Amino acid sequence: MLLDELNKRMLTADGAMGTLLYSYGIEYCNEELNIQRPEVIEKIHRDYIAAGADIIQTNTYGANAHKLARYGLEGQVESINKAAIAIANKAAKDGGQFVVGTIGGIRGIRKSDATLDEIIAMVDQQAQHLLSGDPDGLLLETYYDFEELAATISHLKTLTDAPLIAQLSMHEPGVLQNGMSLNEGLHRLEALGAEIVGVNCRLGPHHTIQAFEGVELPKKAFLSAYPNASLLDIEDGRIVYESDADYFGRAALLLREEGVRLIGGCCGTTPKHIEAVKKRIGHLQPITEKKVEEKKPIVIREAEALKDKPLHEKAKTERTIIVELDTPRHLDIDKFLEGSKALDAEGIDALTMADNSLASPRISNMAMGSIIKHKQDVRPLAHITCRDRNLIGLQSHLMGLDALGIHDILAVTGDPTKVGDFPGATSVYDVSSMELIQLIKQLNEGISFSGKPLRKKANFSVAAAFNPNVRVVERAVQRLEKKIEAGADYFISQPVYTKEKIIEIYEATKHLETPIFLGVMPLTSIRSADFLHNEVPGIKLSEDALDRMRACGEDKDKATAEGIQIAKELIDTAAELFHGIYLITPFVRYDMTVELIRYIRQLDIEKASDGQYVKTSH
C-alpha cells in the first residue's frame, strides 16, 4: 500500500524526534521515553501528522542492544520497541498515516564498534519486535557503513515482505565513506531488494540536493531524502540548527526535480519544516524521467615512485635495521641531530621516532622527521598514535607527512594520557590502531577518511606494533593476523630480553609472510632496568638480565658494558631468526646503539664468509 501511494504521488515524511526532545530539555535515552513518557512521544507523532506528514517513524533509532547498553537498558529491547510501534500506530490510527519501524545504523568510521554478525543479531532482535506491530515498512537510517546496510537489507529480506526504506549517510555530497558514488550505492541497495533508497542526516538541504544531481532514477525503487535542517552550530554549549522552514520547503521542490518522491527531515527539523514541505510538494506528481549530466571524473594520480625500497620489502630478503631515537622533550635539538647523523653513518635503514611516548610531549616527530630527511638525508619512520588526534587531525597529519615525503609509518594506539605529564588531558581514540591502518591504506587509494577523492594516491608503508611479552604468544599472533587483514605491511616488536622468548616468537610467527622487526633495547643501569620491567607496559625483563644489571651496582661504565653485552647475546639469536632488527636507543645514548649496529654488521659479514645467512622467512 505504501509503495502504491509512492507510485502515484509525492509523500511527506515526518522530521526529527531527538531535536524536539532536546528542545524540551530531555538529554538522556530518547528511546526509554516509549515506556517512561509515552504521551510525550505520541504528542510529537501527532504534531507531525498535523503538519501534514503522510509517514511517521517509530522512536526506535537507537533501540538496539548496542546503543541501549550505554544506558544499561540492553535488556529492554523488546519492551522499548513494542511500546514504540504501539504508540505510533495509535497516533496514526485516526488519520490513516503510514507507520514505519525505524532501525538505526551502528557503525560510523569504527568497524570495531560491532562485527557484522553482532549487528545482524541485533537487527534481527529489534526487527522481530517492530514487525510484531505490523508496520507499513521498515526505515533503515543513518548508515555510514555501506557493508553494514547491505548486510542488514539482505537479512531483513529473509524476515519480512514489508517495504524497506534504506538510507545512507554521507560525509561529502555524492560520495560514500568507502569512496563509492552515491549513485552506485543506491543502485546496489535497489539490487539487494530495498524498495525505497535514499539518504538522511549529516548534510543540509543544499548539499543533499547537490548529491542527488548525480543520481540516476532507479528502475524499480523510489528515491527518498531526509536532510538535516542545516549544518549544525554550537551556541552556549548547545547544538542548534539555523534553518528557515520555508527554505526547507523550497529545497523539497528541488529534491523533487532530482527524482525524490519521499521527503522528510532529520536533525534540526520540526513540524514547521514538514508543514513547509507538504505545502510545496503535497499537490505535485513525482518526476518520472531525469537526465543526469555526465560529470568529468576526478582523476586520482598515482603516487610518486619511492626513492628507497619499502622497508617491508627489504626485510623479506635481507638484513634491515631500524633504530628508534626519541625526539627531545625540550627545544634543544642538537644532541638529537648529532645522534641521527651518527646512526645514519652506520648504515641504518630508517630512524624511527615515537609519537609522544608515555603520553609526554616531545618535539613533533613530523618536524624532526622532515629535518633529518631534508638536511641529513636520513630516512624517517614516524609513529602515529590514536590518542592525540581526532579523525580530522589524523587525516591532516597524514596528508602533511605525505607532502613532506615521509612514507614510513607505525600506527599505534598510544599510551593513555593519565600515564604522562598531563594526566588531565583528554585521550581521543576516535579509532583503534587497526582501524587507523585501514584508513591509511585508504589514503593509499587516493580516498580520504570521509570517502572524498584526494586527487593523488599516498604511498605509505604501514607498520603495526607487536607485543610478544605475554603469557600466551599465540593470542598475540592472532592479533597480528587481524592487523595483516587490516593492511599492516610489517611489524615492530616491543623489546625482548630472553633468547627463549625470541625463539618462541619465531616458532609462533614463522607461518606469516609479513616481516617482523625484533626489538632489542640495551639496558643502562639497574634503575632503568627496574623501571622498564615494573612500570612500562609491554616490557618484561628476564631475572638473569636483572641480576646481571644489579651486580653492576652504581658503576655506570660497568652497567653500560653489561647492558651492551646482554643486548649482543640477544642479537645473536634474533639475527639468526629474523631479517629485521629494531634497536631502541635508551636516553639518547646513541653510542650504545652504534656499537650494536656494528656488531650486527660483523655477524652478517662472518655468516656471509661462511656461505650462510638468516635462516627464516622473516
Side-chain angles (χ1 to χ4, degrees), residues 22-77:
Y22 186 66
S23 70
Y24 299 163
I26 297 172
E27 298 186 42
Y28 50 96
C29 180
N30 294 340
E31 291 75 16
E32 186 181 17
L33 296 177
N34 297 331
I35 297 172
Q36 301 295 335
R37 299 286 302 278
E39 72 281 0
V40 174
I41 304 304
E42 183 180 345
K43 179 182 183 303
I44 292 175
H45 286 324
R46 291 189 179 279
D47 287 345
Y48 278 120
I49 290 171
D54 302 300
I55 300 174
I56 61 171
Q57 60 176 297
T58 57
N59 178 37
T60 52
Y61 167 72
N64 57 67
H66 180 83
K67 292 184 177 178
L68 290 176
R70 301 171 185 171
Y71 307 95
L73 300 172
E74 62 271 28
Q76 297 190 43
V77 173

Side-chain angles (χ1 to χ4, degrees), residues 350-396:
L351 187 76
T352 175
M353 295 161 287
D355 189 12
N356 299 327
S357 58
L358 295 179
S360 296
R362 295 176 177 271
I363 293 180
S364 158
N365 60 13
M366 174 191 274
M368 296 308 301
S370 179
I371 290 171
I372 65 173
K373 176 180 174 63
H374 297 293
K375 290 188 175 183
Q376 297 182 333
D377 198 29
V378 177
R379 183 175 184 173
L381 193 165
H383 301 197
I384 300 180
T385 73
C386 302
R387 177 197 58 232
D388 297 336
R389 306 170 190 87
N390 62 13
L391 282 169
I392 300 168
L394 282 171
Q395 178 168 316
S396 175

Side-chain angles (χ1 to χ4, degrees), residues 154-435:
S154 296
H155 181 72
L156 289 175
K157 280 296 174 182
T158 69
L159 297 182
T160 180
D161 293 327
L164 300 183
I165 307 171
Q167 298 193 146
L168 292 158
S169 294
M170 303 168 288
H171 300 288
E172 303 284 346
V175 63
L176 306 182
Q177 184 171 279
N178 63 359
M180 185 188 299
S181 71
L182 177 61
N183 184 54
E184 181 182 350
L186 295 182
H187 281 78
R188 286 196 185 188
L189 298 182
E190 178 190 30
L192 289 168
E195 289 82 3
I196 304 165
V197 295
V199 302
N200 78 290
C201 206
R202 178 65 179 85
L203 303 179
H206 173 80
H207 291 110
T208 302
I209 294 165
Q210 183 182 343
F212 272 104
E213 289 173 354
V215 174
E216 299 168 317
L217 292 180
K219 293 180 179 179
K220 294 182 180 179
F222 302 116
L223 294 178
S224 65
Y226 288 45
N228 282 356
S230 66
L231 299 178
L232 65 83
D233 194 10
I234 303 292
E235 286 185 4
D236 298 325
R238 293 184 66 82
I239 297 172
V240 296
Y241 291 86
E242 297 292 342
S243 175
D244 179 78
D246 188 60
Y247 167 76
F248 198 82
R250 296 196 307 273
L253 283 174
L254 297 177
L255 284 170
R256 172 185 171 271
E257 291 178 10
E258 297 302 332
V260 180
R261 294 191 182 213
L262 171 60
I263 302 175
C266 203
C267 302
T269 57
T270 66
K272 290 183 178 179
H273 293 82
I274 299 310
E275 183 179 16
V277 171
K278 185 69 171 183
K279 179 181 177 181
R280 294 282 184 172
I281 69 166
H283 61 288
L284 299 177
Q285 295 297 307
I287 295 296
T288 57
E289 293 184 4
K290 176 186 177 184
K291 183 178 180 180
V292 175
E293 293 185 14
E294 188 174 344
K295 292 186 177 181
K296 186 177 181 180
I298 296 175
V299 177
I300 298 178
R301 289 169 31 216
E302 292 297 321
E304 295 89 353
L306 293 175
K307 174 185 173 184
D308 301 305
K309 190 175 184 179
L311 292 171
H312 62 279
E313 292 294 337
K314 186 174 183 180
K316 288 179 180 179
T317 58
E318 59 186 290
R319 173 70 63 221
T320 310
I321 301 174
I322 60 176
V323 174
E324 180 170 325
L325 188 66
D326 282 335
T327 60
R329 290 191 180 194
H330 44 70
L331 297 178
D332 183 356
I333 65 174
D334 291 346
K335 183 78 179 287
F336 177 88
L337 294 178
E338 179 184 293
S340 66
K341 185 176 181 179
L343 292 167
D344 184 59
E346 299 300 323
I348 64 172
D349 293 282
L351 187 76
T352 175
M353 295 161 287
D355 189 12
N356 299 327
S357 58
L358 295 179
S360 296
R362 295 176 177 271
I363 293 180
S364 158
N365 60 13
M366 174 191 274
M368 296 308 301
S370 179
I371 290 171
I372 65 173
K373 176 180 174 63
H374 297 293
K375 290 188 175 183
Q376 297 182 333
D377 198 29
V378 177
R379 183 175 184 173
L381 193 165
H383 301 197
I384 300 180
T385 73
C386 302
R387 177 197 58 232
D388 297 336
R389 306 170 190 87
N390 62 13
L391 282 169
I392 300 168
L394 282 171
Q395 178 168 316
S396 175
H397 187 66
L398 284 159
M399 292 169 72
L401 288 168
D402 179 80
L404 291 169
I406 299 175
H407 303 293
D408 297 297
I409 303 295
L410 170 65
V412 294
T413 300
D415 305 303
T417 56
K418 63 182 180 181
V419 307
D421 292 349
F422 301 103
T426 302
S427 294
V428 181
Y429 299 129
D430 272 359
V431 290
S432 66
S433 60
M434 208 169 300
E435 288 157 337

